[in-house]
Amino acid sequence: MRIDDIEHSLRAQIEEVRAGKLSRKAFLQGMVHAGLTVPMAAQLLMLHGVANAQAYQSTYKATRRGGGGPLRVLWWQGPTLLNPHFATGTKDQDGSRVFYEPLASWDSDGNMVPVLAAEIPSVAGKTLAPDGRWVIWKLKKDVRWHDGRPFTADDVLFNAAYASDPATAAVTVAVYRDIKVSKIDSHTVRLENPGPRPFWADAFVGVNGMLIPKHLFEAYSGAKSRDAPTNLKPVGTGPYKFADFKPGDMVRGIINTDYHEPNRPFFDTIEFKGGGDAVSAARATLQTGEFDFAWNLQVEDEVLQRLEAGGKGQARIYLGGNIEFMQLNSADPWSELEGERAHPKSRHPILNDPAVRSAMAMLVDKDSVQKFIYGRTGIATANFLNNPSRFVSKNLKYEFNPDKAASVLEAAGWKRGTDGVRVKDNKRLKFVYQTSINAPRQKTQQVVKQAAAKAGIDLELKSVAASVFFSSDVANPDTYTKFFCDVQMYTTTMTQPDPERFMDQFLSNLAASKANKWQGRNITRWVNAEYDKIFAAAEMEMDPVKRAALFVRMNDLAVGDYTVIPVVARPRVAGVANRLNAPTSAWDSDMWMLKDWYREV
């Protein structure tokens, strides 16, 4: 079938759903048979103004608030701050989500679920423009911050202004900088985009949408943003109120007896423990039962299955868009420019050689990494963008070939020295390759190092404690956002069933730097004018087929230029105690529906 025919058929079916001639369920089933994932099919309906009909429904039949005792969860990378606008990694997003809430969240099927919003905007309800140029959000009434102050439209307006101010140096700046938010009344806001927006559900939704109180943060906007006491002592609207926080170690919350939903939450307290490693986290949940929930079990599959046999819990594996990948630094981390290492204006003296970059990509034995390390929890891939399926490129292949890599380097003038390491113009092919301390990552490093040695590249392996590597401390030189080395590896998460806020991490104007306190999403400092232009087009392209093609092209540019080397697509893996009912979603924080967690009798 030709693309035009597919497009015509797709639009016709969407209109049938809108008119009630085709059930939503039948549409989703048909799209799955056509090769789309359920989240992507649901997104197509949402983006065309068809309201959610089968979004998340809680199984928790609550009859009273509290009474469930303590909830103990384990994040082996502990949060280092609790302001969602500064959350550089998942652990800070999840720690913040215990206390702060967005207007809406994403369920496991990619549907939007209202949280602080009274309803989800829709074309039918006249709260959403057909082209996404404007959105009207109606807020829940009688919601109060943990200190008793009312939550109103003024708080929503403040969050947009706070995040969009460059001096605030918020990691969410790209979400809010181009929108205009105005107040209709005390509990209604209007959001205006600068043009058509196929993915209008970005601001105020999911991990980018957690809202902080105006009355406590207004005095700390802009350049004073890091001085706010509430960065470490959150006051939110969530089901738990702040009790204690030891950065990198422990977050404690107590039940919010004034929570805006009746008979929730179930648990009386939450203990959010950080630190340790993934194996000990898996053991504490699956084998010993010490904890109720463990996040991100990046553990060799063989070990994971052995721990599951302990009988206290199960590993929950759910596919999203997360990717374990290597980054090649485009900037120079070893010299200072304007007093700054890896300055976005600098260029790496060796890794900007296309031959070196392409050779590096051939030194990653992805099939072995999947087979012998990750198993069920890591899928070898050529792509950075791996889900939803509509956006996945079929143009790229990966190749493990150290001999070919050596030939490419030889042809480019890189000659072996007496020690086997290649040299050109007095520059040696020696790189520092860093990642966090974690058994699968150290084993992957060894796989790459051995292959690199065969090709004439010397890799110095550096392993950084996860609490340091993923820290939000702007003074720490070993954080992944600073990237003060040549090559590094970690997982980046996709927290929405749309790739727009996932693929912005290659935009030239979002380069991490001292000026933005290394909060810029583009950590490699890669610069590509074509990529920037295509991304801008995708932001406003309303045709779903054409838009998907733009994201495929973006993936091909970033991977094809070897600014990143995908290793394995990583489904989320959590350890869940046998009697714990914990709704999870691969498109949002694991804490997205914490209010509905309960322990079965």
Side-chain angles (χ1 to χ4, degrees):
M1 184 180 290
R2 295 182 302 112
I3 288 181
D4 288 347
D5 294 334
I6 295 173
E7 184 178 344
H8 178 76
S9 174
L10 182 62
R11 288 203 176 99
Q13 290 182 63
I14 290 172
E15 291 306 316
E16 287 182 356
V17 176
R18 193 199 307 274
K21 298 178 182 179
L22 178 67
S23 74
R24 181 186 178 89
K25 182 177 181 179
F27 174 82
L28 294 177
Q29 289 175 339
M31 292 299 100
V32 169
H33 288 313
L36 274 70
T37 61
V38 170
M40 186 57 215
Q43 279 290 290
L44 289 174
L45 291 178
M46 185 198 76
L47 295 177
H48 284 77
V50 181
N52 294 331
Q54 297 176 341
Y56 163 83
Q57 296 293 325
S58 174
T59 61
Y60 176 38
K61 307 303 179 185
T63 57
R64 64 168 181 153
R65 195 191 308 277
L71 171 66
R72 304 194 70 210
V73 300
L74 186 55
W75 260 240
W76 54 275
Q77 295 169 15
T80 51
L81 54 74
L82 298 173
N83 181 331
H85 291 292
F86 300 150
T88 58
T90 305
K91 43 95 177 164
D92 292 329
Q93 293 170 345
D94 292 347
S96 298
R97 190 65 178 82
V98 173
F99 309 105
Y100 293 115
E101 297 179 305
L103 295 187
S105 287
W106 298 104
D107 73 7
S108 59
D109 289 334
N111 297 306
M112 273 200 299
V113 180
V115 180
L116 292 176
E119 62 186 46
I120 298 300
S122 67
V123 174
K126 297 183 180 179
T127 50
L128 173 65
D131 62 0
R133 285 179 185 267
W134 55 263
V135 185
I136 292 175
W137 286 99
K138 297 180 180 180
L139 312 181
K140 278 185 177 180
K141 297 181 179 179
D142 300 322
V143 175
R144 283 178 286 276
W145 296 101
H146 292 156
D147 62 1
R149 294 281 291 268
F151 163 71
T152 70
D154 291 332
D155 294 300
V156 179
L157 267 64
F158 168 74
N159 275 261
Y162 175 91
S164 61
D165 183 350
T168 301
V171 73
T172 52
V173 62
V175 178
Y176 295 96
R177 67 183 175 190
D178 295 327
I179 65 173
K180 178 182 178 182
V181 185
S182 57
K183 177 179 172 181
I184 295 178
D185 59 39
S186 65
H187 285 80
T188 312
V189 300
R190 178 185 173 97
L191 183 158
E192 294 184 22
N193 288 306
R197 279 296 183 272
F199 186 62
W200 54 267
D202 191 8
F204 310 122
V205 178
V207 298
N208 292 321
M210 287 180 270
L211 297 167
I212 60 177
K214 175 183 178 180
H215 66 280
L216 294 177
F217 282 93
E218 188 173 28
Y220 298 96
S221 295
K224 299 179 180 179
S225 63
R226 292 306 193 282
D227 300 329
T230 324
N231 287 338
L232 300 177
K233 297 181 179 180
V235 176
T237 59
Y240 296 96
K241 298 171 67 172
F242 175 77
D244 190 23
F245 177 39
K246 295 179 176 62
D249 177 31
M250 177 77 73
V251 179
R252 288 209 307 266
I254 59 174
I255 192 169
N256 178 9
T257 56
D258 193 32
Y259 188 57
H260 54 85
E261 290 202 22
N263 302 328
R264 283 171 169 77
F266 171 83
F267 294 99
D268 300 304
T269 60
I270 180 170
E271 179 183 298
F272 192 113
K273 176 65 177 172
D277 55 61
V279 174
S280 61
R283 182 178 296 111
T285 308
L286 306 178
Q287 188 177 65
T288 69
E290 182 183 357
F291 285 84
D292 299 296
F293 186 94
W295 160 85
N296 188 23
L297 298 185
Q298 190 173 7
V299 178
E300 294 164 78
D301 197 23
E302 178 185 357
V303 175
L304 198 60
Q305 293 183 58
R306 186 167 66 248
L307 293 174
E308 282 182 296
K312 298 291 186 178
Q314 303 86 37
R316 181 178 296 176
I317 301 173
Y318 40 114
L319 185 64
N322 298 357
I323 178 74
E324 178 85 355
F325 69 112
M326 295 165 58
Q327 294 175 321
L328 304 186
N329 208 336
S330 293
D332 183 356
W334 308 115
S335 301
E336 289 190 358
L337 177 63
E338 299 175 3
E340 181 179 344
R341 290 172 61 183
H343 193 292
K345 294 179 183 177
S346 70
R347 293 296 87 187
H348 197 287
I350 300 176
L351 281 174
N352 278 291
D353 182 336
V356 176
R357 296 168 79 87
S358 64
M360 286 291 295
M362 288 185 275
L363 301 176
V364 185
D365 189 354
K366 302 178 187 183
D367 290 332
S368 292
V369 169
Q370 175 182 340
K371 183 177 180 180
F372 298 110
I373 301 176
Y374 283 93
R376 296 172 297 167
T377 67
I379 305 162
T381 180
N383 292 309
F384 184 80
L385 177 55
N386 289 277
N387 207 14
S389 59
R390 187 177 189 82
F391 298 107
V392 178
S393 173
K394 296 179 174 60
N395 304 322
L396 303 181
K397 306 290 183 184
Y398 61 84
E399 179 182 13
F400 173 62
N401 195 329
D403 292 336
K404 184 175 178 181
S407 297
V408 168
L409 293 172
E410 187 74 23
W414 292 95
K415 305 299 181 181
R416 285 188 187 271
T418 55
D419 59 355
V421 178
R422 295 183 179 275
V423 181
K424 178 183 179 181
D425 299 331
N426 295 319
K427 297 174 184 175
R428 300 178 78 244
L429 288 186
K430 180 176 181 178
F431 304 124
V432 176
Y433 170 21
Q434 74 176 12
T435 189
S436 65
I437 295 176
N438 171 275
R441 287 189 172 140
Q442 269 69 73
K443 290 192 174 183
T444 302
Q445 278 184 311
Q446 289 293 340
V447 169
V448 179
K449 179 179 175 66
Q450 291 173 12
K454 293 179 181 178
I457 299 176
D458 182 14
L459 293 181
E460 177 184 331
L461 303 185
K462 180 179 178 181
S463 300
V464 184
S467 60
V468 174
F469 190 66
F470 295 106
S471 171
S472 301
D473 180 4
V474 296
N476 193 321
D478 287 325
T479 62
Y480 78 103
T481 57
K482 285 195 172 68
F483 197 3
F484 287 170
C485 67
D486 306 295
V487 183
Q488 68 178 3
M489 180 175 66
Y490 60 97
T491 288
T492 191
T493 58
M494 186 172 175
T495 54
Q496 301 164 322
D498 182 276
E500 188 170 301
R501 205 49 60 205
F502 183 71
M503 297 300 286
D504 69 351
Q505 59 194 286
F506 300 108
L507 290 175
S508 304
N509 62 1
L510 292 183
S513 67
K514 184 178 181 180
N516 57 37
K517 297 181 175 66
W518 294 279
Q519 299 288 293
R521 293 265 290 155
N522 182 354
I523 293 170
T524 67
R525 291 93 173 182
W526 182 60
V527 177
N528 188 293
E530 182 183 358
Y531 188 98
D532 296 343
K533 182 178 179 180
I534 293 172
F535 185 92
E539 284 186 300
M540 296 190 291
E541 180 54 68
M542 296 302 297
D543 186 311
V545 176
K546 293 178 181 177
R547 188 166 182 268
L550 291 172
F551 280 105
V552 167
R553 178 59 181 154
M554 280 184 255
N555 173 87
D556 293 354
L557 281 171
V559 178
D561 199 30
Y562 310 108
T563 189
V564 290
I565 303 172
V567 181
V568 289
R570 286 188 57 208
R572 292 197 190 184
V573 184
V576 185
N578 285 337
R579 294 194 296 121
L580 179 68
N581 191 297
T584 49
S585 169
W587 305 113
D588 211 320
S589 165
D590 278 343
M591 301 276 99
W592 81 287
M593 204 49 67
L594 183 60
K595 68 181 182 67
D596 284 345
W597 286 30
Y598 66 96
R599 186 176 286 117
E600 297 172 344
V601 179

